[in-house]
């Protein structure tokens, strides 16, 4: 992703978050901040981001493109890195079930 593309995505995301918090779910946001503090809003946004990432990574088109990415991974180097770090897990090839966890 180019810097321009990243900036564009960031701009759109910020606009959505601002609209949700200040317009569409304003009363809920205020209640959450009053009852649980500002951290509650950040936690809620984190959950939204995690769910969006899960949905993205399990989308068939993304899965198709990640298989191309997998062809270029140097699994031997990644395994050596894990061995050096003391990891007992080796990278597994991607499939829908391994990413959906």
């Amino acid at each position: 992703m180019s810097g321009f593309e990243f900036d564009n995505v960031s701009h759109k995301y910020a606009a959505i978050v601002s609209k949700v918090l200040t317009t569409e779910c304003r009363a809920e946001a205020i209640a959450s901040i009053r009852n649980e503090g500002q951290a509650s809003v950040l936690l809620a946004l984190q959950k939204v981001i995690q769910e969006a990432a899960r949905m993205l990574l399990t989308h068939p088109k993304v899965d198709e493109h990640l298989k191309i990415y997998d062809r270029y991974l140097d699994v031997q180097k990644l395994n050596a890195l894990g061995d050096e770090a003391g990891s007992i897990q080796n990278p597994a090839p991607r499939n829908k079930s391994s990413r959906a966890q």
Side-chain angles (χ1 to χ4, degrees), residues 3-88:
F4 174 77
E5 291 169 322
F6 184 78
D7 188 62
N8 190 28
V9 169
S10 297
H11 182 263
K12 288 178 182 179
Y13 176 70
I16 291 168
V17 168
S18 294
K19 182 177 179 181
V20 168
L21 291 176
T22 63
T23 306
E24 294 178 6
C25 298
R26 184 179 188 87
E28 293 87 346
I30 289 170
S32 180
I33 293 167
R34 283 184 181 157
N35 295 326
E36 306 199 23
Q38 289 181 345
S40 65
V41 174
L42 295 175
L43 182 61
L45 290 174
Q46 180 183 22
K47 296 290 184 188
V48 169
I49 292 168
Q50 288 172 344
E51 179 61 14
R54 187 197 62 75
M55 290 172 63
L56 177 67
L57 290 174
T58 58
H59 190 280
K61 288 283 186 187
V62 173
D63 188 58
E64 194 175 299
H65 289 286
L66 286 174
K67 287 178 184 173
I68 295 168
Y69 165 79
D70 285 346
R71 281 191 259 164
Y72 300 105
L73 278 177
D74 189 331
V75 176
Q76 288 180 329
K77 285 184 180 179
L78 292 172
N79 286 340
L81 178 69
D83 291 344
E84 186 176 333
S87 173
I88 58 171

Side-chain angles (χ1 to χ4, degrees), residues 57-58 63 93-101:
L57 290 174
T58 58
D63 188 58
R94 293 182 194 271
N95 62 43
K96 289 182 184 181
S97 62
S98 67
R99 277 199 311 275
Q101 296 177 0

